Structure formats: C-alpha cells, structure tokens
C-alpha cells in the first residue's frame, strides 16, 4: 500500500511521507538453530560457543553458512570451507542447517508481523518490510514502537532482530544494516546527508562487487560521490541502471511494500532457472517465454494490464522487483515483452536464480484513445487479432505450434 495522504496545514500542502520498517533477523540460521536446540533441552547456547552452521563435513564440500560471534573471533568467515574453518579452531562445533526449521521460524515471524499491519512483504527468509504509513495515529514515536516489536520478538521467539526505519524500503533496509545485533536505527529522508552519504559505495543496496569496481574506477568511492556525480555521465556508463544508482544514492525509492495479497492479485508466472543465468540473451529467451505465458492468460480473461512487474531473485538470495505503470493498458506478448526488456535494462546483471513477470492493475476496457493516426490504431488492432488467432491455434494444436524467428 503506498499512498500519500495530503494534509492541508496552515494553507500549505504537506505531503505525509511513508513510514516503512525493515525487520532483519540477526544471524538467522545460527539464531534459529540455537533457539530450537535450547527448546529441545540442549544446555548450551551455540551463539556463545565457537560454532557454525554448515554443510556436510564428510562430503568435504561443505561451507560455512553462518558463524557465531566467538567463531568470528577466530577469523572464521561465511562461505569458507568447513575444512579451512576447522583448521582455525580444532574443537569447532558444526551444526548442519535445517531448512525446514528455518522455513517454520520464518513463517511464525511473518504471521506475528502480519498482526501489526496487513502490509507485510516477506523479502527473504529472514527479512520483512512493514508499511506503517497509515498508522500515524497509533504510532506516536516510530522508534519506540520498533523497540517494542524488537523486544516482543525476543521474548516470544527467543532471538534478536534489527529494525530499520525510513520513508521508503531502500532507506529502511539500509538502516537495519547499520549496527548489529538487537538494534533499531532510522534513516529518514532528512538524515540522508548525515547517515547515507558517508557510506562506502559498496554498502549501497543493489551495488554488487562488479558495479562497485566500475564506480571506483570513476573515482566514485562514497555514496556522496555517487549522489553528486553528473547523472548524464552515469547514464552513459551504466545505461538505465545508472538511473537506479543515482536514485538509490539519493535515498529515492517509491517501490511499494507488496504483501502476499497483492502478489496474488493480477496475472503472473515465474520460473526457477536450471542454472544461474548471467548472460542477457539467455535471460531474454526466458523472459519471452514468460511474456507469452502471462500474455496468453490475460487474453484468455479478456483483460488488459496497466502495470508490468519484473521479479528477479539472484543467486545470493537477494530479490528485486521493478515495475512500470503504463498510460495505455496492454495485453499482447510483444507489448509485455517490450516493457519487460525495458525493465531488464534498468537492473544490475549478476547471476540470476529465478525470474517472474506479473501483470496488475487489470482492466476489461481497452482504452481507445482518439487518435489522428488511425492507421497506427488499425495496425495495433491487427496485431491483437493475430495474437488471438495464435492463442486459438496454440490451444488446438499445442503451444509449440508457432515459434518466433527471433527474440529481439
Ligand atoms: Mg538477517
């Protein structure tokens, strides 16, 4: 839900800013395993021991998924091999991951947060966004409220979280990362100069190692440097992705908190890729497939969409939703695919694990704009008719009956 309430005050229009919380479980895998072990009667808290969560040591390819603070003191790092971690501390305690348990703990947390507001987005297994914007009347002091949530989670579930507060998702997420564990931080719009700009550019959300390197080669080292770099030059170097970089460096992000209900709305399809995709042409092939699938479904319902959203899950489990609202609603494969490609151009390319497309803001009325260019309108109608004919053929003879000559 994102709407801006406009309050008329002293004759001035004041835009009431959004209020977003980002809840992030501290060291989730280790905390959740520790909590469960204590529940089951294990006498020691593995959070206070030299312990890690990691794969099967016998198979030798196991790696460290999470480490305790004491393990960190022995320089054990995430993603190193268990073999190498063991060398750093002989009596290292190794707990195998329990993904079923983590899913259960994640669900419980999500359920609890959903009692606070209906606008909860599960961002990853251990992170949620909460849109608290409509609750200004109940929440006098957001920081105090966040502290209450934090202590309730600790008492109710037995582990700690960080809460980041901001006027959008980006700032809330950056804030929750400031100092850990068990902390509440704010990064409001008026704190961007003091709290966001001094950060190193690789601390910025959506800036991966590759991008950071390229930015540093342009002498952009801090978020301040990026926010003050000429936008045209960013666009020249990074194309549309430069837009996102520029906006994020300035703390600008208007993406909505999407709860499960809003994900159920509309028409969408997603696929988990057989391997991680990084090559743009491979990604395009999959996106074309998805465009055709959602296109067929929307036309079956005789509907048109105003909003096209591209969902990406990277292989590091970070997620990205990028969307575009259109002036005229669409429903042909070509139109959907064109918008999706446009969205793809605006995001960072790093190994992708799954892809999805969603069409929302559906309408049954195709907006018939009065146009002086009647031939263009006729042309569009022809494409649409052709599209329906193709759908019919596919229904009759199977979806492989007609294939495109090119993905461009
Ligand atoms: Mg976490």
């Amino acid at each position: 839900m994102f709407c801006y309430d406009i309050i008329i005050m002293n004759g001035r229009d004041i835009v009431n800013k959004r209020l977003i919380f980002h809840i992030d479980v501290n060291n989730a895998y280790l905390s959740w395993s520790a909590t469960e072990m204590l529940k089951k009667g294990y006498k020691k808290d593995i959070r206070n021991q030299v312990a890690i969560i990691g794969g099967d040591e016998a198979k030798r390819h196991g790696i460290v998924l999470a480490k305790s603070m004491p393990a960190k003191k022995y320089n054990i790092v995430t993603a190193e091999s268990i073999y190498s971690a063991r060398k750093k501390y002989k009596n290292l305690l190794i707990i195998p991951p329990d993904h079923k348990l983590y899913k259960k703990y994640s669900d419980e947390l999500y359920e609890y947060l959903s009692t606070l507001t209906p606008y909860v987005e599960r961002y990853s297994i251990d992170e949620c966004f909460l849109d608290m914007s409509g609750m200004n009347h109940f929440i006098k002091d957001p920081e105090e409220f966040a502290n209450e949530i934090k202590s309730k989670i600790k008492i109710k579930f037995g582990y700690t979280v960080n809460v980041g507060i901001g006027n959008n998702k980006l700032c809330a997420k950056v804030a929750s990362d400031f100092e850990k564990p068990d902390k509440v931080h704010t990064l409001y719009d008026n704190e961007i100069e003091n709290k966001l700009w001094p950060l190193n550019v690789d601390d910025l959300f959506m800036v991966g190692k590759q991008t950071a390197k390229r930015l540093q080669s342009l002498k952009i080292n801090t978020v301040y440097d990026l926010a003050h770099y000429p936008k045209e030059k960013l666009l020249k170097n990074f194309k549309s992705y430069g837009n996102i970089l520029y906006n994020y460096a300035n703390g600008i992000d208007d993406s909505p908190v999407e709860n499960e209900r809003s994900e159920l709305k509309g028409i969408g399809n997603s696929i988990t890729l057989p391997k991680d995709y990084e090559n743009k042409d491979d990604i395009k092939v999959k996106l074309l497939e998805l465009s055709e699938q959602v296109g067929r479904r929307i036309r079956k319902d005789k509907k048109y969409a105003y909003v096209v959203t591209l969902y990406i899950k990277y292989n590091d489990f970070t997620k990205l939703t990028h969307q575009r609202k259109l002036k005229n609603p669409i429903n042909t494969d070509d139109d959907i695919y064109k918008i999706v490609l446009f969205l793809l151009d605006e995001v960072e390319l790093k190994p992708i694990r799954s892809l999805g497309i969603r069409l929302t803001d559906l309408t049954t009325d195709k907006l018939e704009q009065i146009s002086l260019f009647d031939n263009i309108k006729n042309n569009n109608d022809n494409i649409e008719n052709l599209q329906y004919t193709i759908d019919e053929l596919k229904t009759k003879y199977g979806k492989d009956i007609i294939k495109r000559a090119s993905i461009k």
Side-chain angles (χ1 to χ4, degrees):
M1 155 93 165
F2 77 116
C3 55
Y4 301 90
D5 300 329
I6 294 184
I7 304 170
I8 309 289
M9 208 180 268
N10 304 331
R12 279 186 309 148
D13 289 355
I14 293 173
V15 175
N16 209 6
K17 290 182 187 259
R18 288 193 293 160
L19 178 65
I20 310 292
F21 285 13
H22 178 251
I23 317 276
D24 185 0
V25 177
N26 298 130
N27 208 350
Y29 285 4
L30 194 97
S31 297
W32 286 341
S33 282
T35 308
E36 185 69 9
M37 286 166 81
L38 289 173
K39 262 195 218 164
K40 292 216 163 120
Y42 189 76
K43 292 283 178 293
K44 287 175 185 162
D45 189 331
I46 58 164
R47 282 170 286 200
N48 304 322
Q49 296 183 286
V50 186
I52 58 152
I53 303 294
D56 193 345
E57 197 175 10
K59 284 183 189 155
R60 292 186 61 94
H61 56 65
I63 57 157
V64 177
L65 297 171
K67 63 205 177 285
S68 66
M69 290 300 274
K72 204 174 167 184
K73 286 200 184 113
Y74 284 93
N75 294 321
I76 291 170
V77 293
T78 305
E80 79 172 313
S81 72
I82 290 183
Y83 176 77
S84 131
R86 173 78 83 194
K87 270 208 238 163
K88 291 177 181 168
Y89 189 79
K90 201 162 68 75
N91 292 323
L92 180 67
L93 185 61
I94 299 166
I95 318 286
D98 183 348
H99 294 288
K100 245 191 203 163
L101 177 82
Y102 304 153
K103 175 75 171 58
K104 189 182 125 200
Y105 272 56
S106 172
D107 287 348
E108 276 174 6
L109 177 63
Y110 176 79
E111 290 301 321
Y112 166 64
L113 295 174
S114 302
T115 63
L116 304 172
T117 164
Y119 305 107
V120 183
E121 175 181 340
R122 198 199 289 244
Y123 183 67
S124 73
I125 190 147
D126 71 319
E127 292 167 81
C128 284
F129 285 105
L130 273 58
D131 191 336
M132 310 300 271
S133 309
M135 309 186 78
N136 313 12
H137 305 294
F138 303 102
I139 304 171
K140 291 274 173 298
D141 180 350
E143 271 184 85
E144 201 183 298
F145 193 73
N147 270 298
E148 272 174 40
I149 297 176
K150 187 171 74 72
S151 4
K152 269 190 197 150
I153 291 172
K154 204 165 162 183
I155 295 163
K156 205 172 153 69
F157 300 117
Y159 55 83
T160 62
V161 299
N162 260 38
V163 186
I165 308 175
N167 297 121
N168 59 41
K169 282 163 73 176
L170 166 76
C171 290
K173 176 142 171 84
V174 173
S176 73
D177 219 24
F178 280 156
E179 194 201 354
K180 293 171 178 180
D182 205 11
K183 295 271 188 328
V184 171
H185 301 284
T186 62
L187 176 54
Y188 291 123
D189 286 357
N190 60 9
E191 296 177 307
I192 283 165
E193 199 178 331
N194 291 331
K195 291 188 181 176
L196 182 65
W197 285 353
L199 298 179
N200 286 330
V201 79
D202 55 356
D203 288 331
L204 189 62
F205 181 55
M206 285 306 298
V207 173
K209 271 187 205 142
Q210 291 305 323
T211 308
K213 258 191 223 157
R214 283 176 65 196
L215 288 169
Q216 281 150 6
S217 74
L218 296 169
K219 296 204 166 51
I220 300 173
N221 295 307
T222 63
V223 179
Y224 176 93
D225 296 340
L226 182 57
H228 291 81
Y229 201 78
K231 197 174 174 180
E232 323 79 71
K233 283 195 188 168
L234 277 182
L235 289 172
K236 214 173 140 202
N237 276 289
F238 294 91
K239 302 214 178 91
S240 320
Y241 175 50
N243 235 334
I244 304 259
L245 287 173
Y246 182 84
N247 284 344
Y248 282 5
N250 283 288
I252 299 166
D253 165 36
D254 60 5
S255 66
V257 170
E258 291 199 63
N259 59 358
E260 281 178 1
R261 220 172 308 152
S262 60
E263 278 180 23
L264 287 175
K265 265 192 326 199
I267 290 171
N269 262 20
S270 61
I271 37 165
T272 301
L273 302 167
K275 61 180 175 73
D276 296 337
Y277 278 31
E278 213 169 351
N279 177 305
K280 211 167 194 173
D281 283 332
D282 294 343
I283 297 165
K284 279 180 174 176
V285 172
K286 288 292 162 196
L287 288 176
L288 177 61
E289 236 174 86
L290 284 170
S291 301
E292 289 178 347
Q293 287 166 6
V294 292
R296 216 168 151 209
R297 284 173 58 200
I298 194 171
R299 289 189 299 276
K300 206 173 156 208
D301 289 356
K302 301 224 166 359
K303 284 185 176 154
Y304 301 83
Y306 276 106
V307 176
V308 180
T309 306
L310 170 67
Y311 289 86
I312 292 179
K313 197 187 248 174
Y314 294 106
N315 77 340
D316 58 4
F317 290 103
T318 51
K319 274 198 318 184
L320 175 90
T321 10
H322 195 34
Q323 60 179 211
R324 173 142 302 230
K325 184 153 179 131
L326 309 165
K327 274 198 192 112
N328 296 318
I330 56 169
N331 83 351
T332 64
D333 296 349
D334 270 335
D335 284 345
I336 297 165
Y337 183 56
K338 256 182 230 157
I339 304 294
V340 168
L341 287 191
F342 189 81
L343 292 170
L344 180 70
D345 271 339
E346 290 190 329
V347 303
E348 186 186 22
L349 275 189
K350 50 183 187 175
I352 292 175
R353 171 159 296 197
S354 65
L355 284 168
I357 297 175
R358 179 161 297 275
L359 307 174
T360 45
D361 246 339
L362 305 184
T363 172
T364 44
D365 301 314
K366 181 180 157 197
L367 203 64
E368 291 285 358
Q369 290 206 322
I370 300 164
S371 168
L372 293 173
F373 307 100
D374 255 342
N375 56 336
I376 293 175
K377 187 176 144 312
N378 283 335
N379 191 22
N380 279 343
D381 279 347
N382 286 341
I383 291 171
E384 209 185 310
N385 288 336
L386 175 66
Q387 190 78 73
Y388 277 107
T389 312
I390 293 173
D391 286 347
E392 261 173 52
L393 284 170
K394 283 185 173 177
T395 309
K396 255 190 191 161
Y397 303 107
K399 65 179 172 52
D400 293 329
I401 182 83
I402 292 168
K403 287 269 181 220
R404 257 166 218 264
S406 138
I407 58 162
K408 296 275 151 57

